[in-house]
Amino acid sequence: MADSAGIQQGSPAIGASGLVPAAPGAGGTEGSGAAGGSARIAVKKAQLRSSPRPKKLEKLGVYSSCKAEGACKCNGWKSQNPPPTPPRTDQQSSTVNLQEPCRSCSHTLGDHVTHLENVSEEEMNRLLGIVLDVEYLYTCVHKEEDADTKQVYFSLFKLLRKSILQMGKPTLEAQESPPFEKPSIEQGVNNFVQYKFSHLPSKERQTIMELAKMFLNQINYWQLETPSQRRQRVPNDDAAGYKANYTRWLCYCNVPQFCDSLPRYETTQIFGRTLLRSVFTVMRKQLLEQARQEKDKLPPEKRTLILTHFPKFLSMLEEEVYSHSSPIWSHDFLAGAPAGQIPIHTGNTHPHSLNRNTHPQRHTLQAGFRQKFGEKRKPSEPLPYEENKRPRVVGDIPMELINEVMATITDPAAIPETSLLSAHSARDEAARLEERRGVIEFHVIGNSLNQKPNKRILMWLVGLQNVFSHQLPRMPKEYITRLVFDPKHKTLSLIKDGRVIGGICFRMFPSQGFTEIVFCAVTSNEQVKGYGTHLMNHLKEYHIKHEILNFLTYADEYAIGYFKKQGFSKDIKVPKAKYVGYIKDYEGATLMGCELNPSIPYTEFSVIIKKQKEIIKKLIERKQAQIRKVYPGLSCFKEGVRQIPIESIPGIRRKEMKDPDQLYSTLKTILQVPDPLLKISALIHTQTLFLPDYFTFFLLTDLKTMSERLKSRYYTTRKLFMADMQRIFTNCREYNPPESEYYKCANLLEKFFYTKIKEAGLIEK
């Protein structure tokens, strides 16, 4: 392993200790001396620029060409290439005089600066800045041990020397100019935030953007490993490609941080996915390791953000970085992005230290427990953190407790790994892990009559035709071949070890608002591995991106079970007029449909469910620990007390109705209400059905539903009944202004039932 050989794999720009990026010549390591070197250069430039004009001319004379005679070709006594050993400090900082002879041509140094007599102070100061950058690079060339880095430093040294002689601006001569790849890293991360988190409310989305900015700033100040170090760590990598990017990074991003006479660009704005792939794995590992080491120094509100949400953010981003089919790297991704998208820009700011208190947000990235898929009604006077002021519903769990549990279960070390052979593991868990490791890939491909045939795509199409023909023996091979190679059809192909092992062939009808799934199969020796579920999840996300939210397919008796597991049913949501005459009819098959929810990240859905289960498990464990609590004995009797109410004894809870039939009878009586109130309840229920996030965020409860639950003996305790009852009123008030009829009806209905519940003895009078 490369790690055991002590090979450095790049350095964090700044971490929990507030470390700063290494200056050129520092060998790619971290250290506080790098910041001091950069600061010293800035101080020197300020001092030199404030010096008298004769002093400035003396400094420039050393680096300027001789103007004494037309035949003199002297470019200054420091014009020769750097000697094999660096100059001594006293030699480099020794003062010179314009009357002194030049060490190369014997003319006075005053003859070297005659062309500067009428130059403005601004231009003089610019040239002096280049001079100090030249001297700094002069030192870097000697101190640097890596051959590739030394060569770049020397090239920049010569470029700046030339700029002084010609009094021009340093311009890097290269075949390509920034940006070197599109979309850039910054745009890719922007697309990722929009792709995965656009459904979150604005407050939570803002926090995601803060995590993204933190990540981008880390990249902008990250020290890349040298090409020789990378060759030892990753022998089979594209060495030439990495060396080219490393050279560009030094010239345009790293060295200009300290030599400000060179134009500087942000790494995230001129590089793209290729560079990000080369640094992401190591960078993620080191950042999280630093965060864990420094967790005790983090403020409480920042600890949740860094230790809980940042690792999840990086994991989700990692999948998109290494996935070959991720849409975030498409040039036309979200070309018509909604107005609500807020671009993430990094600027030239220094990256945030992990223990610095910047933009703390607590209730964020909790998609595993409380994703909101729609915006609530905005009150006339919104209050900050109004979520904490929402009316409590009987039976609801305090948000503080949920946050506390989330902080434990989202810690990677605290989440138990589910065995892939376990009955509790998700169907697509193994496939998702294989995709993350690069074992399998997903590509949407199709034949084209307008473009030159791609040999690899044609080979994959032939492989898909073979898989479909073998797995669907009752389907004519000629028919399969015609549809697979039809330019109007596309196929989501599953690739493993370079060969096709499965796919879903489909045809999109954008004008009709649906897609027809024609073939779906995985080769027999690769089945029961979750590939089918993961294929369908990728297909769903592909269609959400293209704004088609309905699937239709004809399933035979062997495929109905699979499609049911993927969310298909015989209840077709698409109007018949939309699809009749468009889709192919198959004898003996069943038409099934699936409606997509654009707010669900389907490829991550099982992970969310797993997290929900962990949350519930933790909450149950805490409740059980609370129930098993041992209370101290009663001491009041020693003081002469003869009798106390039983409910005042610590640990004694209010007595529930032991007899289920008695509870059933009591609750049935409560639900018997006059017809006018039943109409009010139906009115409230009908109105809330049309709210965007009602089904997602709330339980669907009205009096009819509660009656059905009562008949099924769902209500085993009074608390379950009261929680459902209270939720009807809370939901209505949550979504309606106080002056509305719905709000007033909810208050009327609540008052009626509150009286009946007290009369039944379910609560204290």
Side-chain angles (χ1 to χ4, degrees):
M1 293 294 289
D3 287 339
S4 61
I7 299 171
Q8 185 179 345
Q9 302 178 7
S11 304
I14 185 164
S17 300
L19 299 178
V20 295
T29 58
E30 295 181 66
S32 58
S38 178
R40 284 194 297 272
I41 297 172
V43 171
K44 278 187 178 181
K45 288 183 178 181
Q47 291 175 344
L48 190 55
R49 286 164 177 164
S50 62
S51 302
R53 190 176 181 89
K55 290 290 184 183
K56 295 179 180 180
L57 292 172
E58 290 172 0
K59 189 72 173 178
L60 288 170
V62 177
Y63 293 91
S64 302
S65 57
C66 183
K67 305 295 188 296
E69 299 175 6
C72 185
K73 298 181 179 181
C74 172
N75 286 333
W77 62 269
K78 282 193 177 178
S79 62
Q80 68 271 23
N81 291 342
T85 57
R88 298 190 308 272
T89 305
D90 58 347
Q91 177 184 343
Q92 195 167 359
S93 61
S94 58
T95 58
V96 295
N97 190 295
L98 290 178
Q99 303 305 317
E100 291 183 12
C102 173
R103 299 186 184 182
S104 298
C105 66
S106 300
H107 294 111
T108 64
L109 288 177
D111 293 330
H112 287 244
V113 293
T114 54
H115 63 296
L116 298 175
E117 291 179 358
N118 298 321
V119 169
S120 66
E121 283 295 314
E122 182 180 356
E123 177 65 8
M124 187 88 72
N125 289 336
R126 185 185 72 83
L127 293 173
L128 287 170
I130 300 178
V131 165
L132 288 180
D133 288 344
V134 165
E135 293 182 350
Y136 185 71
L137 283 173
Y138 184 83
T139 305
C140 291
V141 169
H142 295 289
K143 289 186 176 181
E144 182 57 53
E145 298 178 357
D146 178 72
D148 296 314
T149 309
K150 183 190 287 284
Q151 183 179 3
V152 174
Y153 289 161
F154 186 50
S155 298
L156 295 175
F157 168 83
K158 292 194 294 184
L159 172 67
L160 295 182
R161 283 284 292 113
K162 182 179 178 181
S163 298
I164 298 173
L165 294 174
Q166 298 178 353
M167 296 181 63
K169 292 185 178 181
T171 304
L172 293 168
E173 297 178 1
Q175 293 180 348
E176 291 184 73
S177 58
F180 302 111
E181 187 176 3
K182 291 183 178 180
S184 65
I185 296 174
E186 182 177 284
Q187 184 59 50
V189 173
N190 230 324
N191 294 345
F192 166 72
V193 171
Q194 182 68 17
Y195 178 50
K196 290 290 187 181
F197 306 105
S198 60
H199 59 279
L200 294 178
S202 58
K203 184 177 71 174
E204 298 190 1
R205 190 167 61 248
Q206 182 63 36
T207 302
I208 298 297
M209 292 171 62
E210 290 304 323
L211 292 174
K213 289 177 183 178
M214 184 191 307
F215 172 74
L216 291 174
N217 281 327
Q218 294 290 342
I219 297 178
N220 284 333
Y221 289 88
W222 187 262
Q223 292 298 117
L224 297 187
E225 57 187 335
T226 64
S228 58
Q229 290 173 331
R230 185 169 180 82
R231 279 195 299 270
Q232 296 179 54
R233 186 173 65 84
V234 192
N236 299 324
D237 192 33
D238 179 13
Y242 181 81
K243 183 177 179 180
N245 274 337
Y246 177 77
T247 302
R248 293 165 177 165
W249 171 77
L250 279 177
C251 294
Y252 290 98
C253 305
N254 183 257
V255 173
Q257 290 184 38
F258 308 91
C259 298
D260 58 8
S261 54
L262 292 169
R264 185 194 170 202
Y265 297 85
E266 296 289 356
T267 305
T268 55
Q269 293 177 353
I270 65 173
F271 291 100
R273 187 183 193 180
T274 303
L275 181 71
L276 183 58
R277 279 182 166 182
S278 65
V279 303
F280 189 93
T281 303
V282 174
M283 180 179 175
R284 175 177 179 269
K285 178 181 177 182
Q286 292 192 14
L287 285 177
L288 295 182
E289 181 62 29
Q290 275 195 328
R292 283 191 287 269
Q293 290 177 357
E294 301 289 340
K295 63 181 180 181
D296 294 335
K297 300 179 182 179
L298 298 172
E301 65 276 6
K302 196 69 182 274
R303 189 177 299 128
T304 301
L305 186 71
I306 300 299
L307 300 181
T308 301
H309 304 326
F310 197 44
K312 177 61 177 175
F313 177 88
L314 293 179
S315 296
M316 295 177 69
L317 179 58
E318 184 177 25
E319 293 190 16
E320 302 302 321
V321 169
Y322 292 103
S323 170
H324 294 280
S325 57
S326 173
I328 70 172
W329 304 105
S330 172
H331 290 279
D332 58 350
F333 180 86
L334 291 177
Q341 181 187 8
I342 306 174
I344 301 168
H345 297 297
T346 55
N348 292 328
T349 56
H350 202 277
H352 301 306
S353 173
L354 294 178
N355 63 346
R356 200 167 296 161
N357 189 10
T358 55
H359 303 286
Q361 300 282 351
R362 295 191 181 187
H363 313 308
T364 55
L365 203 63
Q366 297 174 356
F369 189 79
R370 47 178 298 272
Q371 282 194 3
K372 301 181 185 178
F373 299 139
E375 290 291 340
K376 295 182 183 177
R377 170 185 61 86
K378 297 291 190 300
S380 57
E381 294 182 0
L383 298 174
Y385 299 99
E386 191 172 9
E387 180 183 24
N388 296 330
K389 301 182 180 297
R390 285 177 48 203
R392 284 290 311 280
V393 178
V394 177
D396 273 2
I397 301 170
M399 203 62 215
E400 295 79 11
L401 178 57
I402 293 176
N403 289 329
E404 188 178 341
V405 171
M406 283 287 294
T408 61
I409 68 102
T410 50
D411 181 0
I415 300 179
E417 287 294 329
T418 305
S419 169
L420 297 181
L421 300 178
S422 168
H424 301 290
S425 63
R427 285 191 296 270
D428 63 336
E429 187 166 346
R432 187 171 55 253
L433 292 175
E434 286 190 10
E435 183 187 12
R436 184 179 300 178
R437 294 196 297 265
V439 177
I440 59 175
E441 303 172 2
F442 295 88
H443 299 275
V444 176
I445 61 174
N447 197 11
S448 175
L449 300 179
N450 302 323
Q451 299 178 356
K452 184 178 179 181
N454 183 298
K455 182 178 179 181
R456 185 178 68 165
I457 290 179
L458 290 177
M459 291 296 294
W460 284 349
L461 289 173
V462 171
L464 287 163
Q465 186 263 348
N466 290 333
V467 170
F468 292 145
S469 299
H470 187 266
Q471 296 301 128
L472 307 171
R474 293 193 294 179
M475 197 69 65
K477 290 186 178 180
E478 296 80 6
Y479 178 69
I480 293 175
T481 304
R482 178 159 59 88
L483 293 189
V484 169
F485 284 90
D486 176 22
K488 296 179 181 178
H489 287 71
K490 295 181 180 180
T491 305
L492 174 62
S493 56
L494 171 58
I495 312 297
K496 186 174 183 179
D497 298 328
R499 63 184 180 87
V500 175
I501 64 169
I504 300 177
C505 182
F506 60 94
R507 181 175 178 181
M508 304 169 74
F509 295 95
S511 62
Q512 304 305 108
F514 75 92
T515 282
E516 178 192 10
I517 295 178
V518 186
F519 307 125
C520 176
V522 175
T523 187
S524 55
N525 61 336
E526 296 288 356
Q527 292 180 4
V528 200
K529 296 182 179 180
Y531 292 153
T533 298
H534 208 43
L535 259 173
M536 187 61 72
N537 287 339
H538 271 288
L539 187 67
K540 290 176 180 178
E541 292 197 347
Y542 177 83
H543 279 78
I544 288 172
K545 176 193 168 186
H546 289 82
E547 299 181 348
I548 297 179
L549 303 180
N550 284 283
F551 288 160
L552 291 177
T553 189
Y554 273 98
D556 60 25
E557 67 270 25
Y558 302 107
I560 289 177
Y562 164 78
F563 282 108
K564 280 186 176 179
K565 293 177 182 178
Q566 308 310 318
F568 286 72
S569 73
K570 299 176 185 178
D571 182 17
I572 308 301
K573 302 295 184 183
V574 181
K576 194 171 184 178
K578 289 279 189 180
Y579 65 83
V580 170
Y582 286 88
I583 66 174
K584 295 168 278 294
D585 194 354
Y586 297 92
E587 185 179 351
T590 302
L591 181 63
M592 303 184 74
C594 178
E595 187 176 18
L596 307 183
N597 188 326
S599 302
I600 296 178
Y602 284 97
T603 55
E604 292 292 322
F605 194 63
S606 60
V607 177
I608 293 173
I609 298 300
K610 180 180 178 181
K611 190 171 293 185
Q612 287 179 338
K613 290 180 178 179
E614 286 299 317
I615 292 173
I616 298 299
K617 182 180 177 181
K618 291 287 185 182
L619 290 172
I620 291 174
E621 290 175 355
R622 289 177 178 239
K623 194 65 177 178
Q624 288 176 339
Q626 183 181 357
I627 293 173
R628 288 193 292 264
K629 182 177 179 181
V630 178
Y631 292 89
L634 299 175
S635 59
C636 58
F637 298 107
K638 295 180 179 180
E639 301 170 358
V641 176
R642 300 292 299 274
Q643 184 178 352
I644 60 173
I646 190 170
E647 58 268 17
S648 67
I649 301 176
I652 299 294
R653 299 178 62 187
R654 196 182 194 288
K655 182 182 178 183
E656 292 282 357
M657 291 186 180
K658 297 289 186 181
D659 186 358
D661 293 332
Q662 182 186 354
L663 178 63
Y664 174 84
S665 176
T666 303
L667 299 182
K668 185 177 180 180
T669 303
I670 294 174
L671 287 178
Q672 292 175 350
V673 297
D675 288 343
L677 290 180
L678 280 176
K679 292 180 181 179
I680 291 176
S681 172
L683 181 67
I684 293 173
H685 171 62
T686 303
Q687 188 265 344
T688 52
L689 286 178
F690 295 99
L691 296 170
D693 65 347
Y694 182 78
F695 288 101
T696 307
F697 195 56
F698 295 112
L699 294 174
L700 177 59
T701 54
D702 63 355
L703 294 181
K704 182 180 177 181
T705 305
M706 292 185 67
S707 297
E708 292 172 355
R709 287 183 170 183
L710 180 62
K711 290 178 183 178
S712 64
R713 302 284 176 153
Y714 169 79
Y715 297 117
T716 57
T717 68
R718 62 185 179 88
K719 281 193 174 182
L720 283 174
F721 178 82
M722 293 172 65
D724 271 4
M725 181 67 70
Q726 184 64 51
R727 202 174 298 278
I728 296 175
F729 316 129
T730 305
N731 290 356
C732 185
R733 286 192 288 258
E734 187 77 24
Y735 282 97
N736 295 284
E739 63 274 9
S740 68
E741 288 298 321
Y742 301 113
Y743 198 100
K744 296 175 182 177
C745 287
N747 289 340
L748 179 64
L749 203 59
E750 183 181 34
K751 184 177 180 181
F752 172 80
F753 278 107
Y754 186 71
T755 303
K756 294 198 70 173
I757 289 172
K758 284 200 298 184
E759 291 174 353
L762 295 185
I763 60 174
E764 298 283 343
K765 292 189 179 181

